[in-house]
Amino acid sequence: MAAEATPGREVVLDTERLLLRPWRVAEAVVQRELWAERDPRVPPHRRIDADGHPTLEELEDSIRTNQLWSTGLLAVERKAAHDVIGYCGLVDSGRGSDGEPELAFELLRRVWRQGYATEAALAVLDWARSSGYERLWATVWDWNTASRRVLAKVGFTETERKEVDPIHGTTLFTTRRL
């Protein structure tokens, strides 16, 4: 895995099958598809609402102005197919300790069970380690067994911390030392 994280330059992570890089405006359609296919147990503010928001235009604008993706969520592109299949990266959601970003990833359903999430997450972990982070954390819904498996494969362990939501399920907190 090669990483380029020079100050003032875009981050690009290169793995055997994937390229993790900044989003392009034309790829907002992929973000919209991610929003549209989310599990109904995901809270409504993370799904397309009754009025159709976020719209494709809103997502294009967020890429153009770096509003939603400026925190380190990189587009995951398959090298062989040259298509974007989701995102993976680091976010500062404000729920963890200072200086400890959260690993986040989400891939389109049509590419699940092919090892892409694990491969992308490992690339981001290497990037985080080389950037000087000592520990990362990640949250996952208790019902999201696939993401829980990915986190376990890349070395995250569940902590005692949980946030219980009687409607959407319990959010589990996981950590990993780098």
Side-chain angles (χ1 to χ4, degrees):
M1 197 259 348
E4 181 183 317
T6 308
R9 301 205 48 194
E10 292 182 337
V11 172
V12 176
L13 308 178
D14 190 13
T15 73
E16 182 181 338
R17 301 181 298 163
L18 304 172
L19 191 63
L20 283 73
R21 55 158 179 78
W23 285 88
R24 298 175 184 142
V25 173
E27 295 159 350
V29 67
V30 176
Q31 291 180 9
R32 180 89 159 109
E33 188 176 350
L34 287 166
W35 278 80
E37 68 179 26
R38 286 188 178 141
D39 191 287
R41 293 171 287 189
V42 171
H45 73 277
R46 295 281 323 234
R47 291 182 281 131
I48 295 174
D49 69 19
D51 296 325
H53 296 282
T55 65
L56 184 58
E57 294 76 23
E58 289 167 337
L59 292 168
E60 288 171 347
D61 189 52
S62 73
I63 294 170
R64 202 175 288 109
T65 60
N66 257 341
Q67 289 174 0
L68 295 177
W69 309 99
S70 62
T71 54
L73 291 181
L74 302 169
V76 176
E77 176 184 329
R78 291 189 295 186
K79 289 179 182 178
H82 300 290
D83 61 341
V84 173
I85 58 172
Y87 64 80
C88 186
L90 301 176
V91 296
D92 180 11
S93 63
R95 295 181 358 177
S97 300
D98 227 15
E100 291 181 357
E102 179 178 2
L103 173 71
F105 57 87
E106 183 177 14
L107 300 180
L108 296 169
R109 289 177 185 263
R110 66 177 173 264
V111 299
W112 287 3
R113 298 171 130 348
Q114 297 178 49
Y116 294 127
T118 301
E119 187 173 333
L122 287 170
V124 170
L125 291 176
D126 285 346
W127 170 44
R129 186 180 303 106
S130 70
S131 298
Y133 292 107
E134 295 179 10
R135 189 173 86 144
L136 299 178
W137 60 282
T139 56
V140 62
W141 295 102
D142 60 350
W143 47 262
N144 190 341
T145 54
S147 290
R148 288 175 74 182
R149 273 195 304 273
V150 169
L151 290 171
K153 279 188 217 175
V154 300
F156 280 78
T157 56
E158 293 182 10
T159 68
E160 296 297 313
R161 183 176 173 192
K162 298 176 179 166
E163 290 179 0
V164 178
D165 182 319
I167 296 170
H168 303 291
T170 300
T171 300
L172 306 174
F173 286 72
T174 67
T175 61
R176 185 190 192 285
R177 288 235 165 259
L178 300 175

